[in-house]
Amino acid sequence: FGTANPERMDVPFWRAMVACGQTAYDARTHFGEGGLDAEPVWCFDRFGTSFTELPDGRVIEIGGEHEDHYDPDFCIDNDVVVNDGGGGFAIYGYSKDVFLSTDFHTVTLVGRSILIVGGLGYKGERKYGTTPLYRLDTGTLAVEPVATAGEAPGWISRHRATREGSRLTIAGGKVCGWADGRETYEDNAGVFVLDLETMTWEKVNSSATSTGAE
């Protein structure tokens, strides 16, 4: 994690991993360090990452997950990688209290900001019944949480986001919840609209039938 909002992470090993695209296991094996009980190796081989192409040619990549929880190099990131469109890039980190680790979220460009909606994240950090919403300033690259009102989708991930004017529609995906003393992971059965002027959620209808928890 970074210590600021943001902190430029000029770590030579991180930059090399972005440039080469190798997995954490490849790096661990190549350098022969650590072993399987060591801390996860940082890498840029991820899924659940978002990509936003900006009008100025930059591409912003946010978060993502490497491997699954059973793998020794499992990691969900909260970093932002800014590609300048000409082959250069910069990595930015954030303190954990500013920006939680995120994967399988959606991103929507609104003016000079990127709205980051939802995300799966780590089990111990999920706040059931709420929907993560952050605003990334594409100029300063600072991230801030956005407070909302109304009926939100809950802890949603793997969904779709569609913007029409000042309305952001969220549909599909999965929702994490808590029932009978355990975590549930069910199909999102609703369609939700966020009013971008008032930051108020509204459930407009039901779109699917739950398939039960995993």
Side-chain angles (χ1 to χ4, degrees), residues 13-72:
F13 177 72
W14 289 20
R15 294 189 60 82
M17 290 297 278
V18 172
C20 74
Q22 297 297 308
T23 68
Y25 178 79
D26 290 335
R28 185 190 295 277
T29 303
H30 177 78
F31 288 104
E33 295 184 2
L36 295 182
D37 293 330
E39 292 185 359
V41 173
W42 193 97
C43 80
F44 203 56
D45 178 69
R46 306 175 183 176
F47 45 94
T49 301
S50 63
F51 299 80
T52 305
E53 186 174 358
L54 302 181
D56 61 12
R58 290 180 297 159
V59 176
I60 293 185
E61 302 177 50
I62 301 173
E65 170 184 334
H66 179 69
E67 294 296 348
D68 286 320
H69 63 89
Y70 52 79
D71 191 279

Side-chain angles (χ1 to χ4, degrees), residues 95-148:
S95 61
K96 194 173 183 179
D97 59 344
V98 167
F99 189 30
L100 290 177
S101 301
T102 182
D103 52 349
F104 302 106
H105 52 269
T106 58
V107 286
T108 303
L109 185 61
V110 181
R112 60 173 280 160
S113 299
I114 296 173
L115 288 183
I116 307 164
V117 179
L120 186 57
Y122 288 112
K123 185 174 182 178
E125 297 176 352
R126 298 169 191 158
K127 299 178 181 178
Y128 309 115
T130 67
T131 301
L133 178 59
Y134 295 93
R135 180 185 290 113
L136 170 68
D137 187 307
T138 60
T140 66
L141 300 176
V143 173
E144 62 175 351
V146 180
T148 62

Side-chain angles (χ1 to χ4, degrees), residues 63-92:
E65 170 184 334
H66 179 69
E67 294 296 348
D68 286 320
H69 63 89
Y70 52 79
D71 191 279
D73 289 312
F74 167 65
C75 186
I76 305 174
D77 293 280
N78 81 332
D79 52 32
V80 170
V81 177
V82 180
N83 301 277
D84 65 13
F89 64 89
I91 307 169
Y92 295 89

